[in-house]
Structures are given as C-alpha cells and as structure tokens.
Amino acid sequence: MVFWEGYATDEAMGTFAPIVVYWLYAGFYQLLPPLDKYRLHTRKEEEEKNSVPLASVVKGVLLQQLVQATVAQVLFLLTSTADISGTTIQPSIPVQIVQIIVAMLVMDTWQYFVHRFMHQNKFLYRHIHSQHHRLVVPYAIGALYNHPLEGLLLDTFGGAISFLISGMTARTAVIFFCFAVIKTVDDHCGLWLPGNIFHILFQNNSAYHDIHHQLQGTKYNYSQPFFPMWDKLLGTHMPYVLLKRPEGGFEARLKKD
C-alpha cells in the first residue's frame, strides 16, 4: 500500500508527481538565502553570463512539462495491466529495485548519445540545444529549460523508453521519475553544499555538470543524470578540481594534465 492509494491512481501520480516534485525542490533552492560560500559561480557571474530572464525559463519549463504529462498519460494508458477491478499486480521490492536500476542505465544511455549528437551537429546545437546553454551559470529552476523539441527528444522520449525497457509499473515509475527529477534539479543547482547525498554517491553531480556548461567544457561531460560511464568509456570525460575562491564559494576548474 502507498500513501496516495484511495486518493489518486498510480497513473495520475506517475504523471503529475514529478512535476510537483520539480517545483517543490527547485523552489526550495530558489528560496534559499544567497549562500555565497557554497556557490560554484558568483551572483555577478550569473547576472552577466546568463542571457535569458527567469520568467522565460519558467515558461519554457512549464511547456516541457505539459508535453511530458500528455505523453505520460498516453503511455500509462497503453501499457496498463490492471484487471477489471482496476488492480495492478505489483512486483516484489527486489524486482522493482532492479527495474529502477535498469531504467537509470537506459536513461543515461539515451541522454548521453542524444545530448552528444546535439552538440556535435552544428545545426541542432545552434537552433535547438543552445537554448539550454543560454544558462551558462545553471540554477535549479532552469534544469528543464530546453527547446521544446529537445525536451521531447531528450527527456520525454528518454523517460518513456526507460519505462518501457525496464518493464516497471506506473507505481514504480512514480519513484523513478521523481528521483530522476530531483537528481536533475540538483545537478543544475549551482551549489556545492556540505553533506549533499548526491555529491557523496554520484560522480555526476552539480560540479561535474557545471564543467559542461563552461565554454571550455561543452564538448565534455555529456552524461546525465546519473552516472558518468559513457563519458569515461568514450573519451568525453573531463576531470576537474574544485577550488575555493578567495572571496568565498567554489570553482569547478578543468584539470590540466
């Protein structure tokens, strides 16, 4: 039994819970005090380097989430295995854990190759992917700020393929998609907070992705949102060092051999 049983279907939760979680978690970061001693870029850099206002970022994210919700509803409708009473038999906890791990690996694989292609193809980068890189200094609410076509190809299709290949139910999908959203937001938060569990468990984190958003790092660190395996296997991994700035905060700097 889950806490929403009797209040919402698994399919409704799988569709809308990730959206709610996105705005709650990103909003949490947005409402934090400046935290200058934990920032990967100064506030001045954020103001000077980012070329899109917050209002446009919010509109872009909402548009992508509208498309995601529509695709999710269709996907859950087509794959439902509920019986005549509306009950879906849930797999055991170990099976669900394996399904989530498979989904993580599938999503990483899909996003790495689509993301990399959007950088290597000059037309796609100029007209599609460059929209995301208008946020040279990433921040939490901008995690899903993409061109609508990129949002469809990279995130929406990536999530759908991960769901289908892993064989998870809508109930397991609630956990997976909410976790993926939290991880994506955290990777774009622009902060290096002490004790952050994602920095401890994942090499692919806010500093790792910050390197990719830097001008010298756009051809490296394509992996998202979980593991850096494809970068390391295919030679696009860029090591970095995390240095303290004299005025406070940190700087993720490319490591020179």
Side-chain angles (χ1 to χ4, degrees), residues 81 88-107 159 161-177 179 226-227:
T81 58
T88 299
I89 298 175
Q90 303 297 327
S92 65
I93 297 298
V95 170
Q96 291 183 62
I97 291 172
V98 170
Q99 289 174 333
I100 289 172
I101 293 171
V102 169
M104 291 168 72
L105 296 174
V106 171
M107 179 173 282
I161 292 169
S162 302
F163 172 78
L164 291 171
I165 291 179
S166 67
M168 63 177 61
T169 64
R171 182 169 297 184
T172 307
V174 177
I175 300 169
F176 171 65
F177 287 129
F179 177 58
F226 301 112
F227 309 112

Side-chain angles (χ1 to χ4, degrees), residues 57-243:
V57 171
V58 171
K59 290 177 184 176
V61 172
L62 288 172
L63 175 60
Q64 176 166 326
Q65 290 176 329
L66 175 63
V67 174
Q68 285 180 337
T70 303
V71 172
Q73 281 288 284
V74 173
L75 189 66
F76 289 139
L77 179 65
L78 294 177
T79 59
S80 175
T81 58
D83 59 25
I84 194 169
S85 66
T87 302
T88 299
I89 298 175
Q90 303 297 327
S92 65
I93 297 298
V95 170
Q96 291 183 62
I97 291 172
V98 170
Q99 289 174 333
I100 289 172
I101 293 171
V102 169
M104 291 168 72
L105 296 174
V106 171
M107 179 173 282
D108 271 2
T109 301
W110 176 267
Q111 294 215 354
Y112 175 85
F113 287 102
V114 175
H115 186 195
R116 180 173 177 174
F117 185 64
M118 285 191 172
H119 273 271
Q120 294 179 332
N121 184 291
K122 292 182 179 179
F123 178 86
L124 288 177
Y125 184 81
R126 184 180 303 114
H127 297 284
I128 306 295
H129 188 56
S130 62
Q131 178 169 321
H132 181 70
H133 281 272
R134 291 176 188 170
L135 297 179
V136 178
V137 178
Y139 56 83
I141 283 180
L144 291 183
Y145 175 65
N146 299 305
H147 185 283
L149 181 58
E150 176 178 351
L152 180 65
L153 291 175
L154 193 68
D155 295 314
T156 305
F157 282 2
I161 292 169
S162 302
F163 172 78
L164 291 171
I165 291 179
S166 67
M168 63 177 61
T169 64
R171 182 169 297 184
T172 307
V174 177
I175 300 169
F176 171 65
F177 287 129
C178 285
F179 177 58
V181 160
I182 291 172
K183 180 65 170 59
T184 300
V185 169
D186 207 85
D187 289 348
H188 289 80
C189 71
L191 297 170
W192 191 262
L193 295 173
N196 187 322
I197 190 68
F198 295 115
H199 299 162
I200 297 170
L201 297 180
F202 293 92
Q203 293 179 14
N204 192 343
N205 48 46
S206 58
Y208 187 93
H209 195 64
D210 182 74
I211 290 293
H212 175 73
H213 273 257
Q214 295 179 25
L215 182 61
Q216 309 97 313
T218 54
K219 295 181 180 179
Y220 301 94
N221 293 9
Y222 297 116
S223 293
Q224 55 185 36
F226 301 112
F227 309 112
M229 59 181 183
W230 288 112
D231 278 320
K232 291 186 175 182
L233 286 171
L234 298 178
T236 54
H237 176 255
M238 176 58 72
Y240 64 90
V241 291
L242 199 61
L243 304 174

Side-chain angles (χ1 to χ4, degrees), residues 31 50-51 64 69 130 134 150 217 233 245 254-256:
L31 294 174
N50 289 350
S51 59
Q64 176 166 326
S130 62
R134 291 176 188 170
E150 176 178 351
L233 286 171
R245 290 194 303 266
L254 281 65
K255 184 183 290 186
K256 302 291 179 65

